[in-house]
Amino acid sequence: MDTADLHSLYRQMLLIRRFEEKSAEMYALAKIAGFLHLYIGEEAIAVGAVASLRPDDYVISAYRDHGHCLARGSDPGRVMAELFGKATGLCKGKGGSMHLVDLPHRFMGGYAIVGGHIPLATGLAFANKYQSLDLVTVCFFGEGALPSGQAHEAFNLAALWKLPVIYICENNRYGMGTPAERAIALYTDVAETARSYGITAESVDGMDVLAVRAAMQRVVPQVRAGHGPWFIEATTYRFMGHSMADPAHGHYRTKEEVEEYRKRDPLLLLKNTMLAQKLASEADFKQLEREVGEIVRVAVKFAEDSPFPARSDLHVDVLQE
Amino acid sequence: MELSYREALNQAMREEMRRDRRIFLIGEDVAYYQGAFKVSKGFVEDFGSRRVIDTPITEAGFTGLAIGAAMAGLCPIVELMTMNFGIVALDQIVNNAAKIRYMSGGQLSVPLVIRGPGSAAHQLGAQHSQSLEAWFCHVPGLKVIAPATPHDAKGLLKSAIRDPNPVIFIEAQLLYGTKGEVQEGEFTIPIGVAEVKRAGRDVTIVAYSKMLLLALEAAEVLSREGIEAEVIDPRTLKPLDLQTIVTSVKKTGRLVIVEEGWHFCGLGAQIAESVYATAFDYLDSPIRRVTGEDVPMPYCRLLEDAALPDLPRVIEAVKSLL
């Protein structure tokens, strides 16, 4: 495996981690308001999955979307500015944390009605097939979206019409505070949901960025070649609360459980692999920390220094002229 | 040439699909069944099953799919077998189609038409007999059109298909068979422009979709009694051409709004508010609304008739203002 590749994967995960930590800090300072759902603990999925895509492939996500957007290559400054509600934000301050969109990077949005973006992803894939383009669409959602009717309707359409879409279910075990075993009948094997529609489905360790990337390296060419949709369950865990409204563990799970999962922190796993294989030294990681820290610092400064939208922007973009 | 409303819609879609390969028709039974009301007659033969697409009975799923396809640059026409089933897709219409442009700060577009019949037909029961235009009109980011004549249906559907925004295009089962003169050759009718369907000096009647026919019938009866009603069809419900309505009201001083939908929070309430705000001083009497009754539609024909605006009620409303 190429050393530079591993450095790049680690660096991207580190960027998301530090970006999210900084976001939480900015939230505490009331620079960011509303809902803020952090991706901390789940970084390996976005980074590992996006690593196998072409720049013109589509990516779409739910409301926990900062990680996917950053992994797609969005400017951290413009993402942070969006969280601040600034005019320089990706969506000019009108989207916010849950509705990031970056069209030039083919990040087609974060959506906050659970399950509601899965038909959209299926439609992006439909458009690609309709136009005979060899593009794939990757759709991220949590396991909480799986039982929703819209997910099922979309799976059926994708399988029926052999659409080039990869559904990535980030199974972090809790839909807000409700564990999967109390929400999903087939909780022991959520991929079975997709299989029941004739979609090829598999499960992967979502804490291991190399495992996620390896799965996608196998799957993406299949889907790109027109062999129909694919479903990947990536098992993971969120280290923070569902949103900023609840503490890291809350009443619905124990501190011990969180600590147990933290031993399999995706950054720690990759770092240990790289150290063990002598692909990087502690000094290299310190250097990466400095670089990423600087990027996040600059992002926050950009957001801070940017203007808010003007009141006259209120009615802009309701309709297209 | 004389065409039925159904044929006019068929022509509009056919001409647009010939012009632009990004346009496709998707919905339940639109291909081989030729549409539940035969609006897409001959389409699958002419355009193939790649562009005329039968779906499973999953409105949320295929409406959402169409929105996604529009985000990727296609121009879908979604046929809802009836607008009632749009309720099943309401999350997609309201939360995605209508908001995606705004939420993305203008990066994404949703050039989409969602069309199908609204309002009551005859004795179809409560779940298949409702006028939901007020729901759609309430949502920023949607355009809403409800043409009454074959000519308007053709010209406005072509404009809707070319519009870069999501458009809700409301037809009516009882209008599909109605006939009227349709302009020959290529034409479109701009969205957001009302039309004076009958000139008059004594009272203005605003009515759209099926209710336009009722209003014109009432105007005919009133005319025999020496009362000249000016009948205006907004044609587009959102954006509403308030100017044309207000110009008429300034002339007549009286306004009756006829709508088939439920009274409470109905579209007529909004039209009345807009007229009051703009032309209060010109009104010689309060605005009257003739609406559907606030009940789920009963099956029994006698009760169904009682729930819907009819000729006596429109005439009574007009006379009450004079």
Side-chain angles (χ1 to χ4, degrees):
Chain A
M1 204 172 290
D2 192 287
T3 310
D5 274 359
L6 297 192
H7 275 263
S8 167
L9 292 175
Y10 187 86
R11 193 175 193 278
Q12 288 182 65
M13 291 200 293
L14 188 65
L15 172 62
I16 296 170
R17 176 68 56 92
R18 298 295 174 249
F19 182 95
E20 295 290 63
E21 287 166 352
K22 186 59 78 177
S23 300
E25 206 179 305
M26 293 297 113
Y27 194 88
L29 293 172
K31 299 284 186 187
I32 300 171
F35 290 122
L36 183 71
H37 307 87
L38 303 178
Y39 199 56
I40 293 174
E42 308 185 26
E43 297 92 339
I45 304 172
V47 170
V50 168
S52 305
L53 298 180
R54 287 192 341 216
D56 49 352
D57 288 329
Y58 288 122
V59 173
I60 188 166
S61 176
Y63 51 84
R64 195 180 302 285
D65 58 349
H66 311 171
H68 310 109
C69 191
L70 290 170
R72 203 63 180 124
S74 295
D75 172 7
R78 295 199 62 203
V79 180
M80 190 62 84
E82 187 61 33
L83 306 189
F84 275 53
K86 295 293 183 81
T88 56
L90 284 175
C91 306
K92 302 176 185 169
K94 285 175 176 163
S97 162
M98 303 193 290
H99 305 300
L100 300 173
V101 173
D102 188 353
L103 187 58
H105 287 96
R106 294 281 189 149
F107 182 69
M108 302 303 279
Y111 296 86
I113 302 296
V114 171
H117 71 296
I118 304 178
L120 299 183
T122 312
L124 292 167
F126 174 91
N128 289 332
K129 181 164 181 171
Y130 183 93
Q131 297 172 102
S132 305
L133 302 172
D134 67 337
L135 300 175
V136 304
T137 298
V138 173
C139 176
F140 295 95
F141 50 88
E143 90 290 341
L146 260 195
S148 80
Q150 300 214 49
H152 285 253
E153 293 189 12
F155 294 162
N156 182 59
L157 290 170
L160 194 64
W161 297 337
K162 293 198 166 23
L163 301 179
V165 55
I166 301 167
Y167 299 112
I168 300 185
C169 175
E170 301 176 325
N171 185 356
N172 67 17
R173 294 198 44 200
Y174 294 89
M176 204 157 94
T178 304
E181 57 266 34
R182 289 202 286 118
I184 303 171
L186 297 171
Y187 73 92
T188 52
D189 183 8
V190 300
E192 195 63 17
T193 304
R195 278 187 212 107
S196 73
Y197 289 96
I199 297 174
T200 311
E202 59 187 271
S203 191
V204 64
D205 178 0
M207 293 306 213
D208 181 351
V209 68
L210 300 179
V212 175
R213 190 178 65 160
M216 284 291 276
Q217 279 170 342
R218 272 187 297 102
V219 168
V220 172
Q222 297 282 326
V223 175
R224 200 184 297 289
H227 298 307
W230 214 285
F231 180 102
I232 297 175
E233 175 204 19
T235 53
T236 185
Y237 198 81
R238 76 176 139 68
F239 295 164
M240 309 298 283
H242 166 72
S243 73
M244 295 306 290
D246 58 328
H249 52 89
H251 289 291
Y252 58 93
R253 59 186 195 181
T254 63
K255 205 172 175 182
E256 291 69 33
E257 182 182 298
V258 179
E259 288 312 312
E260 199 56 34
Y261 274 99
R262 276 189 176 276
K263 291 177 188 163
R264 298 203 71 244
D265 183 324
L267 279 90
L268 190 65
L269 289 190
L270 181 58
K271 184 178 177 181
N272 287 344
T273 301
M274 290 168 75
L275 286 173
Q277 296 182 14
K278 302 205 184 322
L279 299 172
S281 66
E282 283 291 355
D284 293 329
F285 288 107
K286 285 209 176 87
Q287 177 61 27
L288 281 176
E289 281 285 3
R290 276 194 296 273
E291 287 172 22
V292 165
E294 179 60 12
I295 291 170
V296 173
R297 191 192 65 76
V298 170
V300 170
K301 177 145 185 8
F302 175 75
E304 290 267 23
D305 293 348
S306 291
F308 285 106
R311 277 191 78 107
S312 57
D313 292 329
L314 179 63
H315 289 277
V316 175
D317 289 327
V318 176
L319 290 168
Q320 187 170 347
E321 295 304 318
Chain B
M1 91 200 104
E2 187 175 70
L3 290 179
S4 69
Y5 190 97
R6 171 186 289 116
E7 289 163 340
L9 295 169
N10 181 296
Q11 273 195 5
M13 290 196 291
R14 192 180 287 274
E15 289 173 12
E16 292 304 298
M17 284 178 72
R18 281 201 190 118
R19 188 182 56 79
D20 188 343
R21 295 187 60 78
R22 294 174 303 168
I23 302 166
F24 65 94
L25 177 65
I26 184 169
E28 290 151 7
D29 277 320
V30 295
Y32 296 99
Y33 192 92
Q34 306 191 104
F37 300 99
K38 302 289 180 261
V39 172
S40 53
K41 191 174 176 188
F43 268 47
V44 74
E45 291 80 1
D46 286 4
F47 298 105
S49 58
R50 206 176 125 269
R51 296 181 68 196
V52 185
I53 303 158
D54 284 331
T55 65
I57 309 163
T58 55
E59 287 85 1
F62 69 73
T63 302
L65 179 141
I67 296 166
M71 289 160 65
L74 299 185
C75 305
I77 303 170
V78 173
E79 177 173 306
L80 294 174
M81 191 178 284
T82 77
M83 277 292 156
N84 303 290
F85 311 145
I87 299 174
V88 180
L90 207 57
D91 172 50
Q92 286 297 337
I93 297 169
V94 175
N95 279 315
N96 289 336
K99 292 176 184 160
I100 278 172
R101 180 156 187 88
Y102 194 78
M103 292 196 300
S104 68
Q107 293 179 80
L108 299 174
S109 300
V110 184
L112 171 77
V113 175
I114 298 176
R115 48 157 289 271
S119 76
H122 288 308
Q123 294 189 272
L124 300 182
Q127 295 181 341
H128 283 66
S129 314
Q130 45 197 342
S131 301
L132 303 173
E133 57 271 15
W135 294 23
F136 297 116
C137 283
H138 195 60
V139 182
L142 299 178
K143 293 185 179 180
V144 184
I145 298 173
T149 68
H151 179 76
D152 290 348
K154 182 175 177 184
L156 279 163
L157 183 52
K158 285 169 72 87
S159 291
I161 292 168
R162 295 180 193 187
D163 198 275
N165 298 288
V167 179
I168 309 294
F169 192 91
I170 302 173
E171 302 156 10
Q173 284 181 50
L174 297 183
L175 287 177
Y176 284 135
T178 59
K179 294 194 168 167
E181 199 56 33
V182 176
Q183 186 181 319
E184 300 273 353
E186 167 65 29
F187 76 98
T188 59
I189 294 172
I191 293 171
V193 178
E195 189 173 65
V196 178
K197 295 289 187 182
R198 179 189 175 113
R201 59 169 192 271
D202 299 324
V203 58
T204 303
I205 305 177
V206 169
Y208 57 90
S209 192
K210 225 163 66 204
M211 292 298 108
L212 174 69
L213 308 190
L214 182 62
L216 288 171
E217 197 185 341
E220 192 60 40
V221 173
L222 289 163
S223 175
R224 279 182 236 132
E225 300 179 25
I227 301 164
E228 293 303 329
E230 179 145 295
V231 179
I232 295 176
D233 181 358
R235 304 190 290 189
T236 301
L237 307 183
K238 193 179 185 181
L240 183 72
D241 178 3
L242 186 62
Q243 191 53 51
T244 298
I245 297 170
V246 164
T247 301
S248 176
V249 168
K250 284 182 177 175
K251 182 171 68 176
T252 63
R254 297 174 182 89
L255 177 60
V256 172
I257 303 161
V258 188
E259 61 193 303
E260 190 176 319
W262 292 306
H263 181 85
F264 197 82
C265 292
L267 196 66
Q270 178 56 56
I271 296 173
E273 188 271 347
S274 298
V275 172
Y276 280 131
T278 318
F280 184 80
D281 292 342
Y282 293 89
L283 286 166
D284 295 327
S285 61
I287 296 168
R288 278 286 305 267
R289 292 172 63 206
V290 180
T291 73
E293 294 291 317
D294 283 331
V295 294
M297 190 62 72
Y299 162 71
C300 164
R301 184 64 187 262
L302 187 138
L303 293 177
E304 185 184 61
D305 287 346
L308 294 169
D310 58 12
L311 196 59
R313 271 176 270 192
V314 177
I315 289 171
E316 184 279 322
V318 168
K319 288 185 174 172
S320 76
L321 302 184
L322 297 169

